[in-house]
Structure formats: C-alpha cells, structure tokens
Amino acid sequence: MKDNTTVKAKPKPRFLVVCLNPTIQKTLVFTGLKLDAVNRAAEVRTDASGKGVNVARVLTQSGYPATHLTHAGGPNKDWFLSLCKSDGLDVAWVDSGSEVRFCTTVIDKGAGTATELVEEARAVASGTEDLVLEKFEALLPDYDVFIFSGTKAAGYSDSLVPRMVQRATGLKKLVVLDIKGKDLVASLPFGPAVVKPNLEELLASLPPEAQNAIAAAPTQEAREAVTRAAVFELTRAWKDQYGTELIVTRGSKSVWFNENGAAAEMPVTPVKALNPIGSGDSFTAGLAAKLAEGKSLREAIQEGNRLGGLNALQLKPGSILPD
C-alpha cells in the first residue's frame, strides 16, 4: 500500500540580533597606500554595518529568518535604513535622536592590509532605553534565538543588556553573546548558552591576577602558553558556574573552546583575505545557526569558521555572497 503521508518540514529557527551601535561603513581600496600623501581610491563602497547588522545579514544570506534590533537617528537614519532594506534586512528600530556613526575600512592591496578607522557613537537621547526595552518585549515571544553583539552607544545604562539577556534566558531561549566588559560580566549569571568573544576582548575580562601573569611572561611563546592556560581555566569555570560555553576566536589562528571538560582547539582554514572586517560576526552567525539546529559545539564552530572565511573573501563587510 502506497504511503501518501506528507512529512512536514521543521520550521527554521527565528533569530533576533541585538546591537545598539549602528554603523554606515565606508570601504576604500587602494593599490598601494602612502602615508602623508594624496591617495586615490581604486574602489569605494558604502554599506550598512555594525556587528549586529553583519550577523543579521549573514544569517539572512544563509536562509534563516533574522531581525536586527537597534536604534537610529539624525540625518543619516534614512540612509542607514535604506542600505539595510537594499540588503533585504528586517530591522526593528527606535529613534534615538543620535546620528548614525561612520566607520571606514582602508584596504591596501599592495601590502595586503586592512585598517579599520572607528568613529565612536554619539550618546542616545534620554528615553531611548525605554523604547528599546518596549520593542524588545514586543519581539520576545516571536524568536527562538537571541544574539547580543558588540558594544552599545553611550547613553544606555549598564543594566540594559543584562536585563534583556535575563528575559530571554528566563523564557528558555537560546542566547549567544558576542559582547565584552561590564555587559558580559553582568550577563553571565543568567546562563547564556554560549559566549563568543575574540581573544583581545576576552583578555579585558580576565581576573587581574591572570592579566598580570600574562604581562609578566618573558617571551611571546611563554605569553601564549600562560594566556592559553588562563582561557581554558575560564572555559571550565564558566561552564561549571553558569552552564555557559566559552568559545574564543583568534583571527586566523585556531579557535579555543572546551569539549567534554577538556581543552580543545580547532584550526582555521587559511584564505587569501580581501576584507576580514565582519569575519568574527559571520562566525557568530554560523555558530548560532548550527547550535539552534541541535548540532554539536564542534560542528557549530566548523560552520562559524566556514562563514568567517567566506566573509573574508568578499569586499562587502559582513557578507558571505558576492555582491
């Protein structure tokens, strides 16, 4: 007898990416850059960016439903939102009254370098935090995975990000953090599933005695050994205390993580990078996507590495597809 039963496809997880520091990113490409001289760019592009935009864009390009929660304001607001729209990004935003900042990437093809010039964000207007929380609460029931990325603009309280993390984990949502400093430390007690800083960001969160031990190491080799030991001690401590996995990216070097209670690392496949900006955000997108699908931590890291490498091959930051 023929079985005509139709197997209903499992819906894809829905992602809310929270980053309160939007950016208009200008990328300038030079065949050779000379300091203290006039340089004419061979190629120029302008994109919506910031860590949250990058993560949401890569998730969207990978076929996952994703929404980016942020603020926007000033004369550049409409430009920023139009750039997001042209990329097919779903953006939930509140008016902050503060200008969307610019950041600039300078690529020197001759030297094979990419230099990032960062403009600090202007402070958001009074009352913006309440608007963000109101928007977040309205979105909360509709999403399965919550990714918190980057630093927040001035004008927000230290309690904002931890408060949102607490609300999401309290509803048993999968929470992935790519944040640092006070926001990270204050969010840990609420048990996020994964924390994914890069090594430079994590070092600032290490206990003072660990930072002092690293600084006192006599050679680069010794410094890396002490750093590695301190990081793996932290991976065990956070797993035991908070149930949180700590994954540390190191650019083109291997990723450090804890696997079944033991120190582990995964190599990164080298690529000839055109623009590495956004590769860490692409890693976060791939990592979160596979964890949301129930894959192992190792499989999720592999996907993160794959998407990070694809991003580095594109001129557009936070993108895994040719423009």
Side-chain angles (χ1 to χ4, degrees):
M1 182 176 177
K2 189 175 181 180
D3 185 0
N4 292 321
T5 304
T6 301
V7 178
K8 190 174 181 180
K10 186 178 179 181
K12 286 193 172 184
R14 291 178 54 82
F15 295 79
L16 184 69
V17 184
V18 181
C19 180
L20 302 173
N21 213 344
T23 301
I24 295 174
Q25 188 86 19
K26 180 162 281 190
T27 304
L28 306 175
V29 181
F30 300 89
T31 54
L33 189 66
K34 296 180 180 179
L35 297 181
D36 200 25
V38 175
N39 292 269
R40 299 188 184 277
E43 191 171 353
V44 179
R45 67 172 303 126
T46 304
D47 299 283
S49 192
K51 293 180 73 65
V53 166
N54 294 343
V55 173
R57 183 161 47 222
V58 171
L59 285 168
T60 300
Q61 291 177 348
S62 300
Y64 295 95
T67 297
H68 176 42
L69 173 60
T70 191
H71 66 252
N76 289 336
K77 174 186 67 179
D78 291 339
W79 187 13
F80 170 77
L81 293 173
S82 69
L83 289 169
C84 290
K85 184 177 181 180
S86 68
D87 284 337
L89 295 181
D90 181 30
V91 180
W93 61 280
V94 304
D95 197 327
S96 62
S98 57
E99 188 69 89
V100 177
R101 65 176 179 162
F102 282 92
C103 290
T104 304
T105 305
V106 179
I107 295 174
D108 183 348
K109 278 190 169 182
T113 60
T115 302
E116 184 74 354
L117 307 177
V118 177
E119 179 182 315
E120 293 297 340
R122 297 183 184 179
V124 299
S126 175
T128 304
E129 181 163 330
D130 291 336
L131 294 175
V132 169
L133 284 171
E134 182 180 345
K135 182 77 73 173
F136 180 80
E137 287 293 334
L139 295 168
L140 191 54
D142 297 329
Y143 293 85
D144 309 295
V145 186
F146 289 73
I147 301 172
F148 294 84
S149 287
T151 57
K152 60 186 185 299
Y156 289 113
S157 73
D158 289 341
S159 65
L160 175 59
V161 172
R163 183 174 174 182
M164 290 191 286
V165 171
Q166 182 182 24
R167 288 288 290 132
T169 59
L171 292 176
K172 308 302 181 185
K173 309 287 187 176
L174 177 65
V175 175
V176 176
L177 304 184
D178 185 6
I179 57 179
K180 62 182 180 179
K182 291 181 179 180
D183 285 341
L184 171 57
V185 173
S187 295
L188 285 172
F190 305 118
V194 177
V195 173
K196 191 246 82 173
N198 61 42
L199 181 58
E200 183 180 354
E201 292 167 341
L202 182 66
L203 290 178
S205 301
L206 288 175
E209 57 272 20
Q211 295 187 38
N212 292 338
I214 293 169
T219 65
Q220 180 60 40
E221 184 178 17
R223 192 173 300 115
E224 178 158 334
V226 174
T227 302
R228 189 176 188 274
V231 168
F232 283 126
E233 177 60 33
L234 206 58
T235 65
R236 287 188 288 269
W238 286 5
K239 181 66 174 178
D240 292 343
Q241 189 171 357
Y242 309 116
T244 298
E245 299 286 359
L246 172 60
I247 299 168
V248 182
T249 56
R250 302 188 299 142
S252 61
K253 295 182 179 180
S254 61
V255 179
W256 288 344
F257 65 106
N258 188 311
E259 188 172 41
N260 301 320
E265 55 185 294
M266 184 179 296
V268 174
T269 302
V271 299
K272 189 175 181 180
L274 175 58
N275 183 5
I277 304 303
S279 287
D281 306 321
S282 302
F283 181 101
T284 300
L287 175 78
K290 291 307 173 186
L291 289 176
E293 292 179 349
K295 302 298 184 183
S296 70
L297 192 62
R298 179 170 286 272
E299 290 171 316
I301 293 172
Q302 287 174 335
E303 179 67 359
N305 278 340
R306 185 181 77 86
L307 296 190
L310 285 176
N311 174 82
L313 297 174
Q314 317 305 321
L315 184 57
K316 183 174 187 172
S319 180
I320 58 172
L321 299 176
D323 218 7

